[in-house]
Every structure is written in structure tokens, then in C-alpha cells.
Amino acid sequence: MKPSRHTVIQVALPVPLRQTFDYLPKGDMAVSGIVPGRRVKVPFGKRQLIGIVTGVLPHSDFGDDKLKAVSALLDEAPAVTAPVFQLCQWAADYYQHSLGEVLAAALPTQLRTQDDSWEATTVRWQLTQKGRLIGLEQLGRAKRQQQALQILREHPNGLHHPMLTGLGIQPAVLNTLLAKGLVEQHEDGPPREHWHRERVLAESPLTLNEEQQHALAEINSADGFATFLLEGVTGSGKTEIYLQAITHCLQQGKQALVLVPEIGLTPQTLHRFQQRFAVPVMGFHSNLNDRERLQSWRKLRDGEAAILVGTRSSLFTPMEKLGLIIVDEEHDLSYKQQEGFRYNARDLAIMRGKIENVPVVLGSATPALETLHNARNGRYRHVVLSQRAGQALLPRFRVIDIRQKALTHGMAPELLDGMKQTLQAGRQVLVFINRRGFAPVLMCHDCGWFKECPHCDHRMTCHANPARLHCHHCNYQCSIPRYCGHCKSTDLRPVGMGTERLEDNLATLFPKFPVIRIDRDTTQRKHALAQHLERVQQGQPCIIVGTQMLAKGHHFPKLTLVAVCDIDAGLFAADFRATEHTAQLLMQVAGRSGRAGEQGTVVLQTHQPSHPLLQTLLNDGYSRFATELINERKLLGMPPFGYLALLRAESTEPRLASAFLNQMGQWLQNQVELNGVEVWGPAPALMPKKARRFRFQLMLRSDQRGALQRVLKLCIPKAEASAGHQVRWSIDVDPVTLD
Ligand code: ADP
Ligand code: ZN
Ligand code: ZN
């Protein structure tokens, strides 16, 4: 086989294989314009795929006869701009994922699946010399052609196609004139929107307090890349700082990228950005259809839109003049993609800042331990807001020991009293419970049997409306059984409390006040969440019942009492990160209370009132609490002091996945390069069976990121060769949960 002497185009394709593919240019294609990041359409097996050019080489290792030609070069300009391309390359390498899949994930859906160009052009029609001189009567009785010619004579610079059709000129008429040589077509770019750095604001900013002024000055002083941790208690005015830092950025003619955890959950946030600025603000939310999203994407890419507010994947949006990146609620778990290309958008945001040489601001009241550690050791610049903005005070905590206490529907008398007083004073109450549904189990009162999900071996949650059992892990649902699956007794009773049941109970206990339940079940309908939130905003006394959806950034001015019915589950979970996540959730929920005027109260019910971590958290605050956890992690060599990766495997036949990981584990132990990397397991995952698949994992740990990366690289060809068809495997670098 003779290697090809022709120029070949290297293409990354959206397939799991971790390699690029070589293609020949087609016919007379000019190779000079084929730059990395450009979209191409290529034959792949029997299919045509859209891929991204990664390079052009003078020759290939494969013979000409093995190589196929590119079917089409798409677009004029690269869809993946140079900095985004570099980011994707880095991410594919670090997260051990196929570059083609990473690049595909970085593109809007339409560019991934359709070969139309995104470079919207508009056709302009103009008269030719002949068209200008010809007498209208020479067109005979063709009235419509005369009419078109007449209109174009009034517009010597031509008219855009939509304008002409809007004036009633049929495209067929224009084409006839074209054939006669009377008119010609020009392609214009879309009309460019412009925004002006001199006219950025639509409303005047708030006057910052001293701490805020200092924080803003720090951030604005950045010249090029720097990472900031803006650690500010809930309600300290972090968002106001983002707005003013963005103002500074826009005034230099640059764009800003704002990542938020779940835009659908906090419509308020996007609204605040749109209200503040006179420049185009794009929100990437789920109500956009693919076409609208592509349009916004193009405007951001070309610098016509000034600000992008979006979730995780917005990170990959090309922006011509990027000047600032903000990651709001940086500790939020939704920044980690949990399947397929498992990346952490917060970490990649920092990498993007580095590549584009722009500052990155990570904001949170409860920073992730990794982030806090980096801020304390000086790798990030640490800016602190210790007080609430305006007149608001931080809420007081009150712990209720519920050991041996008689509870009404899971609530202690003191709590019920507090709720009553709050409501009667015209304020709002939030009851937080992180379990949706009616009850976590439906149990046989005679023998203790309960139904497990047939696909997950996990108890099924009981729902009342509509009545069903529902597996929250795989979505399997079935009707409520009439009798026990073991002893046939008909005495099946819901045990424990979920949002639905709590809603019912509270409505009975407080008949005069509306109960508003906010969880995934009550917010599925479009706009449902916004409607619920609006009711709360109106400020009438009410009880809000909800899950962690309520923890995210909401601002309810009339809310003064927050109750957490059961904090214990989170304190004793098996996942080593569970304590950190529980504390973050608790502080965020607590932070919804007393945000305007009157001081708020947070009531916690627990069987563990003297739990040391709970004590530290409540008495000394999140920062001290985090210090204790960080010290604990240091002893264990866990992040941020060690680096982790999981090699996960699953199969419908349990033996296959565990045998595969056993083999990988032994092989890894024998690698000389293993020095400095520990291999633990394999062990069943925390959720050992999910959706009919048995799940196992092998954990790799090292004190050195580089050593871990080298071992993972070795692993991949070995895993690809030994997994076999029935085992699904994946690598999770820097996992955030172990389930
Ligand atoms: P965070 O993002 O830290 O939770 P926000 O930016 O939402 O805090 O601010 C909380 C509340 O305080 C908002 O209603 C905001 O308008 C108000 N606020 C922020 N900064 C100031 C300020 N300097 N003066 C008065 N009110 C402020
Ligand atoms: Zn039974
Ligand atoms: Zn299930």
C-alpha cells in the first residue's frame, strides 16, 4: 500500500471512536480555505455525517484507494472559532472523550444535524444596464414584469427579496426578468445589528455599599485572564456586582458570557439582565426552538449580541469579542454533565478564560471546596461580601430536637406555632422537603413488604395525583397495588412524607392560607413555574412547599420563615461529597428567607442536634464549616488534595461488567506507570442496578493530576479492546457524585 501523496483533510466526527478521519478534497476544492473548525459533510460507512475539520496534512498514512472525498464544504467561515476549537481539544483530552463528540456537543443542534449554512444571507435584486434602459412597453402585456421593473427603477440600489415579495412581486416574475437579463442578484449579509459601547444601560445601577465597591474594583482591575471567587452570603448583592462588572466590560466594546445553573428555574435572573441593559441580551433557555437558538448563536458569534445568559452548554458559544465570563452559583451540581461527554462547565469556563485571556468570576454563597481551596491558596483572587445588601439581615437559625417528640404530620408544635404567627403577620412560609411525590414508600402494614422497581431494585415512590407508583431513577411507573406482594394483605400504607402529602396536610392545618407546591411534578407544564413564582411574588401570605428547585437564587421579599423538616438524611449519606452538598443546599434554602426588611428565621428539625458539622455550620457559618471539611479531605487524600477518576461499567448481565472491571483493575495494577496512582475496586455503584443494568465502578486516585491523566490515557485502548459489545463503559474525570 502506497501512502497517499495528496493533501488530506482530517475530520473529527460525532462517533465514540477517539480518533480523527482522513478525507480527500473533492474535485477542485481550494484547500487554502479549509481551516480547523469548518464544517464538512463526509461519507461514513453508509451514512453522511457532519464533521469538523481539525487539520489539513500534506499526505496520509492511508493509500489513496482507501480514502474517500469530502462530500461538501459547509459555510464560508468556521462554525467553531479558534478559541472554542482549542477549548474543545483541551476538553476532549482532559475528559478522555472523543473530540468529534465534544465538537458536536459544542454546536447548536441545527448545525450538528443539518447542512444548511448558518450564515444567513439575503438576496438583493437590482436592475442591470439593459433593465434600466429598456422601455416598459417592450415587455408587452406582462403587467407584473412591468410592475417589478417600475419598482426597481425607484430603487437604484436594489431591494431585498423579502421586501419585493412583501410588495406583491412573485419570485417567478423576478426569475423571468433574470432570464431576460434585465435584473441581477446580489447576496448581502444579514442586516447587522449594532450596539454602542456609549449606550449600554437601560436603567441606572444601584449605589454599591463599601464591600461591593471594593469587590467591583478588584474585578474591574483585571487585565486579561484571572479567576475570581466572589464569595458573598445569600442576598449580599452578587448579581448587582455581575451587572456592574458587565457594564464595565461592555463599555470597552466587549461581550459577556454568564453561566447560570438552570435558567428555567430562575426566570427572574434573565429578566434582571434584560432590564438593566440597552444592548441585546440573549438567553439560552428551553423555550427557544432550534432555529431561534441558531439565530442567537450567530449574533453572539459575530458580536452583534452583547450578553449571553445560559446554562452549562452555553459555555461553548463562540463570541467574537468576549471580555468577561461569570459563573453564577459555581458550586451547583448542574454544571457537571453526568452522561456522555462528562465535563464540568465551571472548570472549562476557567480554561476558556485562559485561552481568551479574559477574567472569570465564580460567584457563590457556598463555594465548592475545590474553589474555596484555590481561593485560599492564592490561585484565585478571593473577594468576600460578608453582609446582606441594603437593609436586609441574614436569617437566624433555630434547631428543633425532634427526638421522642410528638409530631403533627412530621412537624413539631414549635414549628407549627411559628408558621401560624408568620402567616397571621401577613408573611410567607417556605417548607423545604427534598422528596417529591406523596410518600417515599407504600408499605404492607402486616409484613413490611414494599414494591421495588423491577428495573432498579429500588423502592418505588408513591404518588397521589395521578395515583401511581413511580421510580424516580428510571421513570418506570405502575398502578398502585391492591394487596401485598408477599402476604396478600390489603393493608398497604404510605410511609414517610413527600411534597404532595405535605401539601395536603398543610392545607388541612392552615385552611385560610393558600399552599403553593413547587416541584418537578407541578412545573412540567410550560410557564407553570413562572405562574407559581408570580403568585409568591404578589406577596400575599401563603405556604410554599417545595424541593431543591426552590434553593436556586429566588428572591421572595415577603418570605420570613423557612422550615427544613428533615436534615438528617443528608448528614449520613454514603457519598463522600454528600455533607458538602447538604450544607450548600441548606444554606441556599435558608438564604431565601428575610431578604427584604424584616429578619428571617430558619427552623431545622433534626434527630442529631449536636452533630458536630451541623453545629459548626450553624454557629460559625459555611466558611468555617468548609475549613473543617477541607481538613478532613486532606487526611483522606480526597479532592481538593487528590484527584479522582471513575471507570464505570454496566451490563444487563452483572457478571460481564464486573469481569471487565476486574480485568482492567488487574491490568492497571501491573502497569509500571502506575506509580503515584491508586486503583480501588471494582465495587458496585451506590445505585447498583438502574434501568435494568448492573453497575460497577473502579476508582483511580492520585496526588498528581498529571499522573492520573497519563494512566487514564493508557486505559483507553485497553478498555476499548476488552469491553466487548455487552458492556457499556465510561470514564468520569473529577466525578461529583459516586452513584
Ligand atoms: P445575591 O445575588 O448575592 O443573592 P442580589 O444581587 O440578588 O444578591 O441582591 C439581593 C437584593 O439586594 C436584591 O433585591 C438587590 O436589588 C438588592 N441590592 C443589591 N445591592 C444593593 C445595594 N448596593 N443597595 C441596595 N440594594 C441592593
Ligand atoms: Zn405483607
Ligand atoms: Zn427504576
Side-chain angles (χ1 to χ4, degrees), residues 61 103 155 190 200 210 242 326 358 386 465 480 538 608:
D61 294 339
L103 287 163
H155 296 273
V200 162
E210 220 167 288
Y242 303 152
I326 288 166
V358 302
S386 61
N465 191 15
I480 306 260
Q538 282 167 3
Q608 305 285 331

Side-chain angles (χ1 to χ4, degrees), residues 197-273:
R197 61 171 87 180
E198 298 81 18
R199 271 188 284 119
V200 162
L201 291 176
E203 63 174 19
S204 42
L206 297 175
T207 309
L208 298 183
N209 63 34
E210 220 167 288
E211 271 189 328
Q212 283 176 313
Q213 279 174 27
H214 171 75
L216 181 67
E218 274 286 301
I219 293 168
N220 286 351
S221 74
D223 180 23
F225 172 66
T227 307
F228 294 88
L229 167 59
L230 177 60
E231 183 184 7
V233 297
T234 53
S236 57
K238 294 183 289 297
T239 310
E240 186 59 34
I241 306 241
Y242 303 152
L243 293 169
Q244 299 201 20
I246 291 172
T247 307
H248 178 77
C249 165
L250 298 170
Q251 284 165 344
Q252 294 166 306
K254 294 190 178 153
Q255 298 165 286
L257 167 61
V258 184
L259 297 184
V260 293
E262 279 158 276
I263 200 163
L265 296 186
T266 51
Q268 282 175 342
T269 310
L270 180 59
H271 190 69
R272 254 172 105 179
F273 281 80

Side-chain angles (χ1 to χ4, degrees), residues 282-438:
M282 301 290 139
F284 277 180
H285 48 79
S286 52
N287 290 349
L288 287 188
N289 63 33
D290 288 347
R291 201 177 43 79
E292 292 166 327
R293 185 175 292 248
L294 183 62
Q295 275 171 3
S296 305
W297 178 91
R298 189 195 63 72
K299 287 183 185 165
L300 289 156
R301 185 193 181 284
D302 295 344
E304 289 173 41
I307 302 170
L308 168 57
V309 182
T311 47
R312 187 169 69 210
S313 65
S314 309
L315 168 73
F316 296 102
T317 310
M319 293 171 79
E320 190 181 73
K321 306 173 282 190
L322 184 64
L324 176 65
I325 302 175
I326 288 166
V327 185
D328 187 25
E329 310 289 8
E330 65 83 35
H331 65 278
D332 199 281
L333 293 185
S334 72
Y335 286 123
K336 177 72 194 273
Q337 166 115 342
Q338 301 280 22
E339 54 199 37
F341 166 33
R342 297 173 161 79
Y343 64 97
N344 189 320
R346 180 238 299 152
D347 297 345
L348 284 184
I350 296 173
M351 184 45 66
R352 180 150 185 198
K354 207 173 203 171
I355 291 170
E356 304 236 25
N357 195 29
V358 302
V360 182
V361 179
L362 311 179
S364 177
T366 53
L369 298 190
E370 280 87 344
T371 308
L372 209 49
H373 184 63
N374 279 328
R376 288 176 181 173
N377 70 19
R379 284 184 51 187
Y380 300 166
R381 290 164 68 177
H382 200 171
V383 190
V384 177
L385 301 179
S386 61
Q387 269 147 38
R388 281 197 159 172
Q391 304 302 315
L393 293 171
L394 278 170
R396 291 179 286 253
F397 283 96
R398 184 159 166 223
V399 176
I400 301 184
D401 179 357
I402 52 171
R403 282 174 298 181
Q404 300 170 2
K405 199 162 253 179
L407 304 177
T408 313
H409 303 309
M411 285 170 287
E414 301 96 301
L415 173 56
L416 292 172
D417 280 348
M419 289 171 71
K420 197 163 146 197
Q421 278 165 25
T422 308
L423 291 166
Q424 279 170 352
R427 308 280 179 215
Q428 299 173 335
V429 176
L430 186 160
V431 186
F432 172 79
I433 174 166
N434 216 9
R435 273 191 307 252
R436 67 194 171 93
F438 189 78

Side-chain angles (χ1 to χ4, degrees), residues 443-450 483-492:
M443 198 179 275
C444 170
H445 194 59
D446 291 334
C447 78
W449 174 89
F450 54 87
Y483 49 84
C484 169
H486 179 67
C487 74
K488 308 286 182 242
S489 159
T490 51
D491 192 1
L492 299 181

